[in-house]
Amino acid sequence: MMEGLDVLDVYVQQWTALQTVRASNLRVDDVFVAYGSIGGAADEVDVAGYLTGLVMLPTLERDLVAQTINELLDVTGSLVDGAHYSTDDVTAGSGYSDYLRALVLSPDGYAFHVPAAGDSSTSSTTSDASPDAPGGAFHKAGDAGADAPVDDVEYEREFRRCHALYESGLLETGAEERFDRITVQARDYFGVSSASIALITEDSQIIKSVVGPIGQDLPREVALCSKTIEKDRTLVITDASTDPDYRDHPLVVDGPEVRFYAGHPVSTAGGWRIGTLCLIDDRPRAFTEDDERDLRAFAARVQVEMWVSPLH
């Protein structure tokens, strides 16, 4: 695991487990039987749901599932990367730390003169991409190390973020039912007029999934979702018509006349914020801390679908 990383994000831990099971061709029922033999308490439906990205397990059960998977890899002699544990301490005591590839989870903490581990979108070859390649409008801004100007570091970060998006393949597959299911459920759960998944390129917002009347491809400088990906937090605008930051925005005064917006970033497994899951309404709405928590849970489901897509 990455040096200094004490607690692993629960959804990243889940992703490593399901990726390992799929890549090694382990049978979920075999994992469940072995999991039960070492004291696992979750039932078969929950374990199967966890290993398909549908449900989340408590910390102890996640670690027992990871231990089970890694023991099965050991028995079968598989060379597939193992499933990660919840903390460094659990990893150290598992006996399988050598099975785990390095994870880089926070681009905001990258040293940009060093290629990021565990994310092919940040390899040194990617940074030399041709202008004719996807995302090629960006050029390497030099060796943006610790003493590089802020503009160069930001330029390099955006270059790598865009390449992570292009390498995900999500822009090439159009609308997909697996994402449409989530936007429909999110719209109905929160009772808003529209819900969408947007991908943010270097100059555009591209709608991956939308349900409802509001949500379209836009220039990046107009898209509210472009603001959302700037930070790892939920952006909430309860009444855009009275919000001093947004009351003069084109989407508020013209077109769909957006009043309510809530969006949360969705990221690659390497941590690059490439898009959002957002809720939109043409009426002002309240949005509680519990609502924010639930929106983050929906966004996490979008991320899991993004992460497993190469193995579909």
Side-chain angles (χ1 to χ4, degrees):
M1 299 178 70
M2 182 178 173
E3 183 180 357
L5 180 64
D6 295 322
V7 179
L8 186 63
D9 178 88
V10 295
Y11 293 103
V12 177
Q13 184 182 10
Q14 180 184 37
W15 169 74
T16 70
L18 63 90
Q19 288 286 73
T20 300
V21 167
R22 294 182 181 200
S24 61
N25 294 315
L26 289 175
R27 289 164 47 91
V28 173
D29 52 354
D30 290 339
V31 173
F32 175 72
V33 170
Y35 159 82
S37 72
I38 64 171
D43 63 27
E44 186 171 5
V45 172
D46 283 345
V47 171
Y50 177 71
L51 292 175
T52 52
L54 297 177
V55 301
M56 183 57 64
L57 294 174
T59 302
L60 175 59
E61 305 310 320
R62 296 198 308 271
D63 286 335
L64 287 173
V65 169
Q67 184 72 10
T68 299
I69 292 170
N70 294 335
E71 288 181 357
L72 291 173
L73 295 180
D74 195 20
V75 168
T76 60
S78 174
L79 299 178
V80 171
D81 293 326
H84 281 257
Y85 300 90
S86 60
T87 69
D88 288 344
D89 288 343
V90 177
T91 300
S94 70
Y96 292 102
S97 58
D98 290 344
Y99 280 71
L100 310 182
R101 71 174 175 87
L103 293 176
V104 176
L105 305 177
S106 175
D108 294 333
Y110 284 168
F112 284 98
H113 61 291
V114 179
D119 183 357
S120 61
S121 71
T122 58
S123 66
S124 58
T125 56
T126 299
S127 293
D128 295 322
S130 163
D132 298 324
F138 289 90
H139 301 274
K140 187 174 181 182
D143 185 15
D147 297 326
V150 172
D151 287 349
D152 285 353
V153 173
E154 292 300 323
Y155 200 83
E156 181 79 355
R157 177 179 292 146
E158 178 63 5
F159 169 84
R160 295 185 178 189
R161 190 197 67 79
C162 286
H163 265 282
L165 169 59
Y166 283 103
E167 290 191 355
S168 74
L170 293 166
L171 291 169
E172 302 169 7
T173 51
E176 297 182 65
E177 183 181 357
R178 62 198 178 106
F179 293 116
D180 292 341
R181 284 196 299 268
I182 299 174
T183 51
V184 168
Q185 291 169 5
R187 187 228 14 213
D188 294 346
Y189 181 84
F190 291 99
V192 294
S193 65
S194 302
S196 63
I197 297 168
L199 303 173
I200 306 300
T201 73
E202 63 271 23
D203 57 10
S204 301
Q205 168 183 279
I206 306 297
I207 297 298
K208 181 68 176 176
S209 173
V210 61
V211 57
I214 305 176
Q216 60 184 320
D217 295 351
L218 292 168
R220 181 171 174 176
E221 63 268 19
V222 177
L224 293 173
C225 290
S226 182
K227 293 291 185 182
T228 303
I229 69 166
E230 291 177 359
K231 297 180 181 179
D232 185 17
R233 52 83 176 96
T234 305
L235 175 61
V236 178
I237 307 168
T238 56
D239 185 354
S241 67
T242 61
D243 190 307
D245 293 329
Y246 297 100
R247 61 191 178 196
D248 296 324
H249 192 282
L251 296 178
V252 177
V253 298
D254 299 317
E257 296 186 352
V258 170
R259 292 297 176 263
F260 168 81
Y261 173 94
H264 192 79
V266 292
S267 303
T268 67
W272 297 101
R273 294 189 289 272
I274 59 172
T276 69
L277 171 65
C278 72
L279 312 171
I280 302 176
D281 211 325
D282 56 6
R283 296 177 299 171
R285 300 178 60 93
F287 207 67
T288 67
E289 290 184 2
D290 286 345
D291 290 331
E292 290 191 31
R293 177 203 63 205
D294 293 342
L295 179 58
R296 289 194 298 270
F298 274 100
R301 290 175 53 194
V302 174
Q303 288 189 159
V304 169
E305 288 295 340
M306 288 179 171
W307 297 344
V308 302
S309 60
L311 292 178
H312 277 201

